[in-house]
Amino acid sequence: MKQLNYIKLEFPARSVNEGFARAAAAAFAAQMDPTMEELGDIKTAVSEAVTNAIVHAYPDTVGVVQLRLRALEGDTLEILVRDRGRGIPDVKKAMEPMYSTGGEERSGMGFTIMGSFMDGLKVRSAVGRGTSVTMRKRIRAKAGA
Ligand SMILES: Nc1ncnc2c1ncn2[C@@H]1O[C@H](COP(=O)(O)OP(=O)(O)OP(=O)(O)O)[C@@H](O)[C@H]1O
Ligand SMILES: [Mg+2]
């Protein structure tokens, strides 16, 4: 799909940056004229992916998180969240509802939420090399627009 516009951001994997990433995604998505509901879905999905990079990817260091957003032809928003952290040994298992290595405060629902709020979700990961989460959302044409 042809790319119409994009942004790339990079920030340290610190929880203070989660809100920024979410707001940046919403600000970029605004050009595609989403509904409030679509915008909410986008913010939630970005928040889950970025939170994962912050809490799971770098156990002992403060690594780098990349966020890339692309507006594609066909009213499609593509979101990439990438880290160069520890990676996921079994992606299929990690994506199952309620699977978590994160302890008590995690419910293991992040990937499930991303999958249900977006129209496409692809996770690539290599142990010791990092994880990239690519999501796509179709921003539907508005009646009367
Ligand atoms: N970027 C990442 N780097 C390394 N491991 C990850 C990453 N993202 C997810 N994981 C692994 O996949 C598991 C499932 O992630 P998911 O977001 O679904 O649940 P969670 O983060 O454990 O809990 P919740 O998102 O509900 O707080 C995590 O527990 C972790 O083991
Ligand atoms: Mg999570």
Side-chain angles (χ1 to χ4, degrees), residues 91-110:
V91 171
K92 202 165 163 248
K93 187 163 194 160
M95 291 177 78
E96 284 171 9
M98 286 156 64
Y99 176 86
S100 179
T101 58
E104 283 286 292
E105 75 276 25
R106 300 278 144 209
S107 54
M109 292 305 287

Side-chain angles (χ1 to χ4, degrees), residues 5-66:
N5 195 10
Y6 74 92
I7 61 156
K8 283 180 183 175
L9 289 174
E10 202 173 270
F11 50 88
R14 299 182 59 224
S15 54
V16 68
N17 290 327
E18 185 269 324
F20 177 80
R22 185 166 43 169
F28 181 85
Q31 71 192 276
M32 301 174 82
D33 195 23
T35 62
M36 291 308 282
E37 191 187 349
E38 287 165 339
L39 210 49
D41 292 352
I42 290 160
K43 284 156 84 175
T44 300
V46 167
S47 171
E48 291 295 334
V50 169
T51 299
N52 278 355
I54 292 170
V55 304
H56 300 299
Y58 302 105
D60 311 312
T61 53
V62 179
V64 173
V65 182
Q66 282 180 11

